[in-house]
Amino acid sequence: MIGDIFTLLLLNPLVNLLVLLSHVLWGSFGLAIIAFTILVRVATFPLTLRQLHATRAMQALQPRVQEINKKYSDPKRRQEEMMKLYREGGANPLSCLGPILLTFPVFIALYSAIRIALPNSPEALEKLSSHIYGWSYLQHALPLEEHFLGVDLRGNGGDSLIGYFFVAAVAATTFIQSKTTVTTSTDERVRQQQQMMNVMMPFMFAFFAMSFPVGVSLYWVVNSAAQIGFNILTYGFPALGLQPVFKARAPAAAPQAALSDGDERTSPTSARELRTANGSGRSKRQNRRRRP
Amino acid sequence: MNFRRGAIITLALLLLPLVSSCVSVLNPTGWAPVAFDGETAYVITSKGKLSAITVNGDSGAARWTFPDKDRDEDDKLDTKAIYGAPVIEGDRIYLATFEAGVFALRKEDGRPIWPTAGSDAVSIDGDIAGGVAVAGENVYFATTEGLLYALRKDDGAPATGWEKPLRLGDGIWATPVVHGDAIYVATMSGELHALSAIDGSERWSRPFKASGAIAELALISDELLFVPSINRHAYVVRMADGSVVADFRADDWLWTTPGVQGSKLFFGDFGGSVYGLNITSSGVEQLWEPASLKGERVRSGAAVVNGVIVVVDRKPVVTFIDANDGSILNTVPIEGAGTVRANLVVKDGAAYFSTTGGKLFRAEPASRRVVEVQLSGVKK
């Protein structure tokens, strides 16, 4: 049942869109994957922008989150205060996950679509008929050209020399993406964990890319490259002296009320301060100094 | 990339193969039709294996299987699948396999005459998704990389004038058809070439161009070819000059061979419709409204015996249809035998077909029943 819904609503439209793009783009399935990735990024741009705002808001509240954690030992009370803080600060911890949750079905569908649209056997081409819409224009495009930049997009990354190039590109773009992404936590321990993840992730994804079709790696590389560009436009890249182009919305000025017993607490941090805090990895102690 | 995001992505990647397994992708299995030589049937009894079966009524005893799992020299043969019918000529069988190339086998014991273990087989670029065609002194076959090869029948070396394969298109999946001294080759880029079997030179001023990929090709008379396209068109093409006698549009993909009765053609499509066409001097006329097989794909080529069409869909269900009016006479579902994609072959008033489960069936139009030929001694 779930499989049928997945096939009907996501997989089949994706297979047909890829076939259509491939036919339009000189019969190149590789170009179709690139065009598809860009289309998805453009379509989800508002969602990505919302995620940015949510990340900013979450980041602004981190010093207060730390204080609540310290202040309340009762988990229930702590949770209540946290929710109050998030509500009044205009932040939603789950909103950061929106684009990721959207990416996964697309990623899984793309993984399946590549395997279906580039059949490796007569039986697989026969089965493709059940996924393709009855439009003559689409059917005229079949079978698709499976080679792109000298590599078989159906083959796994670890199967060929050029495949390894794509594996390396997956690792490189994942690493750069992590370096250009804002870190929300001001907790030193969490920051260290995140730095470790930043190093581990490229290796892990490279490992996955070895056993995934090269077409999926191509999607990953283009998607990451787009995200890197977006990150630089929104966060800037201080290492290269690049300033952000899009200004993030300042978080709501409410966190004071979150600590209901009247303790003095940090005032809402401006977007500019957040950038600084994020860029240099300012510690809790440094944050405390700025309290009124 | 923050910790939470990284963890979720990693988890999703780990789950990816599991989730995507909901959408299975089919590996090569093969769909070579049965070939008869007297009372011996050559049947694909498991993936990539051919068995010689002596048929006696409703039973059949295997004489040999190739490749033979009990022979050390066959261990390295990874045929993967067999799509084209074996061609029997004299005391030999010529067989194309998907990944292991072409073999000449001894009919008596199924052992390779060429290539033999340790000998230099011809290097083949691509897989063979069709079968072989034998004419004169040569064996012809084509590959998924769009190359047409000709080998000498006696020793499997490249034939004279064919030292290098002929590149014809993006991919060739249909078995080449030989007629007289011409060879007809269809490509997945939708072209049909007529070539000299001697030197590969083009016979027509330009290739026939279909509107979609051509994955099957069939000789329907001494003058005409049946050219189905996955873009729903069925063409009837004159072999002499490549001109189109008829262009019929079906409701779904066409990837099959027709049953032929005089000037009449009967075939099914991937939408489960079965068509009856009559070739006339001005094209084709539809004999009756298409018979419906409830939407099941028909890849298997139909057979016509004594005015009854026998069609098998992928489920598989065997359907007997009256060739005069298209009415369904009987349907016989087959349970637990795999699916059917292999063409039907007529012998002694019955239509034989094999399944992907390695079973052999006989459909009897006279009684509208289907009988399984019980096979014994087959090495899986």
Side-chain angles (χ1 to χ4, degrees):
Chain A
M1 178 66 180
I2 292 173
D4 290 343
I5 293 170
F6 173 75
T7 301
L8 189 70
L9 296 182
L10 199 58
L11 184 60
N12 285 354
L14 181 53
V15 169
N16 284 276
L17 178 60
L18 284 170
V19 172
L20 177 71
L21 288 171
S22 181
H23 199 31
V24 170
L25 297 168
W26 308 281
S28 169
F29 195 68
L31 288 180
I33 291 174
I34 293 171
F36 165 78
T37 312
I38 293 168
L39 279 177
V40 169
R41 296 302 309 200
V42 168
T44 57
F45 181 78
L47 206 60
T48 312
L49 206 58
R50 260 178 57 188
Q51 184 205 10
L52 167 75
H53 293 316
T55 308
R56 291 272 193 222
M58 287 292 293
Q59 192 184 34
L61 297 175
Q62 280 309 306
R64 311 306 301 274
V65 170
Q66 306 275 325
E67 286 170 23
I68 290 172
N69 280 336
K70 273 187 185 168
K71 188 174 174 72
Y72 300 104
S73 55
D74 176 24
K76 195 180 169 194
R77 180 73 198 278
R78 190 192 299 157
Q79 190 64 27
E80 283 172 3
E81 292 298 330
M82 289 273 199
M83 294 317 294
K84 197 173 173 186
L85 176 69
Y86 287 144
R87 193 170 53 248
E88 293 174 358
N92 180 356
L94 296 178
S95 63
C96 305
L97 300 179
I100 307 174
L101 294 178
L102 185 79
T103 302
F104 284 148
V106 173
F107 188 66
I108 290 166
L110 186 80
Y111 177 81
S112 303
I114 288 170
R115 295 167 74 213
I116 288 168
L118 296 176
N120 64 347
S121 68
E123 286 86 353
L125 180 60
E126 184 208 15
K127 195 179 178 211
L128 175 60
S129 69
S130 63
H131 294 279
I132 293 289
Y133 299 147
W135 305 332
S136 181
Y137 187 78
L138 290 175
Q139 296 185 358
H140 187 68
L142 298 172
L144 301 174
E145 171 55 48
E146 63 268 24
H147 290 94
F148 180 68
L149 298 177
V151 67
D152 187 340
L153 294 168
R154 298 170 301 184
N156 292 338
D159 287 353
S160 65
L161 198 62
I162 305 174
Y164 277 110
F165 166 78
F166 279 90
V167 171
V170 165
T173 50
T174 305
F175 179 73
I176 298 168
Q177 187 186 339
S178 66
K179 297 301 281 183
T180 57
T181 304
V182 153
T183 309
T184 53
S185 179
T186 53
D187 186 313
E188 200 56 42
R189 200 165 46 92
V190 174
R191 294 181 73 86
Q192 278 174 3
Q193 276 179 347
Q194 287 174 345
Q195 278 175 4
M196 193 183 71
M197 288 293 282
N198 289 350
V199 176
M200 293 276 291
M201 282 291 175
F203 287 107
M204 253 158 64
F205 290 168
F207 176 74
F208 287 127
M210 300 259 288
S211 53
F212 281 175
V214 172
V216 174
S217 296
L218 177 62
Y219 163 79
W220 189 267
V221 169
V222 177
N223 193 45
S224 295
Q227 185 64 45
I228 290 165
F230 188 74
N231 286 349
I232 291 174
L233 287 174
T234 49
Y235 302 128
F237 198 55
L240 296 177
L242 295 174
Q243 294 300 312
V245 174
F246 302 121
K247 300 292 180 191
R249 199 173 53 213
Q256 278 288 15
L259 295 166
S260 47
D261 60 0
D263 282 355
E264 62 170 23
R265 289 296 180 260
T266 315
S267 62
T269 319
S270 72
R272 185 177 175 79
E273 284 168 334
L274 282 171
R275 267 200 306 279
T276 314
N278 175 58
S280 62
R282 190 180 289 272
S283 68
K284 281 187 294 185
R285 193 162 52 81
Q286 286 171 307
N287 283 329
R288 263 190 227 114
R289 279 198 203 129
R290 283 188 280 123
R291 287 177 198 160
Chain B
M1 185 175 303
N2 63 38
F3 184 81
R4 185 186 294 155
R5 184 188 166 104
I8 291 173
I9 291 174
T10 307
L11 182 66
L13 286 171
L14 287 169
L15 289 174
L16 187 57
L18 187 70
V19 176
S20 62
S21 65
C22 300
V23 185
S24 63
V25 174
L26 301 174
N27 290 319
T29 305
W31 56 49
V34 182
F36 279 98
D37 180 35
E39 294 311 307
T40 301
Y42 296 93
V43 184
I44 307 303
T45 45
S46 60
K47 257 181 74 170
K49 290 194 172 184
L50 178 73
S51 295
I53 310 280
T54 303
V55 178
N56 184 8
D58 294 348
S59 64
R63 292 208 318 267
W64 52 257
T65 298
F66 174 81
D68 189 334
K69 65 173 184 176
D70 295 333
R71 287 178 178 268
D72 292 345
E73 64 267 35
D74 287 4
D75 278 351
K76 289 178 185 171
L77 287 177
D78 188 7
T79 54
K80 278 282 188 298
I82 299 170
Y83 289 93
V87 174
I88 303 143
E89 195 179 89
D91 60 354
R92 293 183 176 194
I93 298 163
Y94 299 96
L95 178 72
T97 65
F98 190 60
E99 284 195 359
V102 174
F103 294 86
L105 306 176
R106 266 198 306 267
K107 207 162 75 174
E108 189 184 343
D109 58 6
R111 300 313 305 154
I113 298 167
W114 57 258
T116 50
S119 68
D120 290 335
V122 172
S123 171
I124 296 168
D125 187 11
D127 301 320
I128 305 172
V132 294
V134 178
E137 297 305 310
N138 296 342
V139 177
Y140 301 88
F141 63 96
T143 72
T144 53
E145 292 299 313
L147 297 166
L148 177 66
Y149 291 79
L151 305 181
R152 285 203 302 255
K153 278 197 305 190
D154 57 348
D155 59 4
T160 307
W162 293 83
E163 286 75 15
K164 284 185 177 176
L166 201 59
R167 184 170 290 280
L168 291 172
D170 294 338
I172 301 169
W173 290 29
T175 302
V177 168
V178 169
H179 190 256
D181 60 353
I183 179 164
Y184 300 88
V185 184
T187 72
M188 294 302 275
S189 44
E191 289 184 340
L192 174 64
H193 297 262
L195 308 166
S196 161
I198 297 164
D199 58 8
S201 58
E202 292 274 358
R203 286 292 185 88
W204 298 337
S205 55
R206 61 175 182 275
F208 164 76
K209 182 75 179 139
S211 60
I214 306 168
E216 188 73 83
L217 191 59
L219 189 70
I220 51 175
S221 75
D222 282 343
E223 296 174 355
L224 303 174
L225 285 170
F226 178 79
V227 187
S229 155
I230 64 172
N231 199 19
R232 304 175 178 214
H233 287 261
Y235 303 92
V236 177
V237 175
R238 203 170 276 117
M239 284 191 281
D241 55 7
S243 59
V244 178
V245 174
D247 176 1
F248 173 77
R249 187 171 159 80
D251 292 334
D252 214 309
W253 286 28
L254 289 172
W255 187 350
T256 188
T257 56
V260 182
Q261 189 179 60
S263 63
K264 294 173 182 168
L265 307 176
F266 307 97
F267 54 91
D269 70 11
F270 276 19
S273 297
V274 179
Y275 305 89
L277 305 181
N278 186 32
I279 304 168
T280 64
S281 54
S282 58
V284 288
E285 60 182 12
Q286 212 164 333
L287 294 168
W288 21 262
E289 283 298 303
S292 173
L293 305 187
K294 297 179 181 171
E296 287 297 334
R297 283 200 289 273
V298 180
R299 211 313 301 173
S300 164
V304 195
V305 183
N306 299 328
V308 176
I309 306 160
V310 185
V311 189
V312 189
D313 63 30
R314 66 183 289 274
K315 257 195 139 173
V317 173
V318 181
T319 305
F320 297 92
I321 299 170
D322 189 330
N324 293 317
D325 58 11
S327 61
I328 291 176
L329 303 171
N330 194 21
T331 55
V332 182
I334 299 171
E335 303 291 339
T339 190
V340 174
R341 299 189 183 96
N343 296 339
L344 278 74
V345 173
V346 176
K347 184 180 187 302
D348 300 335
Y352 286 80
F353 60 93
S354 58
T355 70
T356 53
K359 296 189 174 183
L360 179 64
F361 289 87
R362 184 177 67 238
E364 299 174 347
S367 61
R368 278 68 148 156
R369 68 185 191 122
V370 179
V371 177
E372 180 178 357
V373 179
Q374 298 291 338
L375 304 182
S376 61
V378 173
K379 292 180 182 178
K380 293 283 184 183

